[in-house]
Amino acid sequence: MHRIMIVDDDPINLAIMKALLEEKYEVITASSSLQAFGHLRRDNNLDLMLVDMEMPESDGVDVLKKIKTTPKLAEIPVILLTTVDGRSKEKEAIANGVADFVEKPIRGDILLLRVQRELRMQELEKSSSNSVSQVKLLELKVRLHQVLDQFS
């Protein structure tokens, strides 16, 4: 089962998103970036993070930057939860590797579709990189056999 962390300082938003996602995914919630990073220090095995763009102690772009510059966390896709006012930071978020945006107030159908799409893209990337690795390994085996055949 995919593991998703939701980071939002609004307990109502947290509850709504958790209710929408917990039927299909394991959902971990954090009400601040500090709480989120505390959890990530203990357990960074996540498939996706949903992070509120506007929180009191740090904004979503700051959280995104920290995730993307931390080697153990950099591969976790981040979807930022934005309001119309939060759109001013979209360019900075894109430059720092955001996976997608979901606008608040949250529409359940859109949230589910964006989460499903991001998780599917992640699965495709992993399977294609595994396929590429397998092809490269096979090529190396063929070359090794050719070299060994020259010496026999």
Side-chain angles (χ1 to χ4, degrees):
M1 180 177 277
H2 290 288
R3 297 180 77 218
I4 299 172
M5 179 184 281
I6 305 169
V7 185
D8 195 323
D9 62 309
D10 183 334
I12 294 171
N13 283 336
L14 273 179
I16 290 169
M17 288 184 282
K18 183 175 183 180
L20 287 167
L21 296 170
E22 69 185 350
E23 189 174 305
K24 290 185 173 186
Y25 309 107
E26 181 182 341
V27 178
I28 300 151
T29 60
S31 58
S32 68
S33 61
L34 185 64
Q35 188 180 22
F37 284 110
H39 178 86
L40 288 168
R41 272 192 288 282
R42 294 183 308 276
D43 176 13
N44 61 9
N45 187 21
L46 293 176
D47 298 302
L48 179 66
M49 289 182 71
L50 302 170
V51 179
D52 186 13
M53 182 76 99
E54 298 173 25
M55 293 184 286
E57 82 284 350
S58 64
D59 70 22
V61 175
D62 292 334
V63 173
L64 173 69
K65 287 177 183 177
K66 187 169 182 180
I67 289 168
K68 294 303 176 183
T69 57
T70 304
K72 290 182 179 180
L73 307 176
E75 296 302 315
I76 300 171
V78 176
I79 294 176
L80 290 176
L81 309 167
T82 66
T83 61
V84 173
D85 295 338
R87 292 198 166 248
S88 62
K89 290 201 161 203
E90 279 187 15
K91 185 176 178 181
E92 186 180 3
I94 291 168
N96 283 284
V98 71
D100 205 346
F101 298 92
V102 172
E103 202 166 291
K104 290 168 120 182
I106 300 297
R107 287 185 39 209
D109 55 344
I110 298 298
L111 177 68
L112 287 169
L113 287 170
R114 299 229 176 167
V115 165
Q116 289 169 351
R117 183 184 70 187
E118 187 55 41
L119 291 172
R120 181 68 181 130
M121 286 174 47
Q122 188 180 359
E123 288 171 2
L124 289 172
E125 285 177 15
K126 285 179 182 176
S127 68
S128 80
S129 73
N130 285 342
S131 297
V132 169
S133 296
Q134 289 173 353
V135 168
K136 288 181 179 180
L137 184 59
L138 185 60
E139 289 172 353
L140 285 172
K141 285 180 179 178
V142 168
R143 285 188 207 150
L144 179 61
H145 284 293
Q146 290 170 343
V147 169
L148 291 174
D149 285 345
Q150 288 177 355
F151 293 106
S152 50

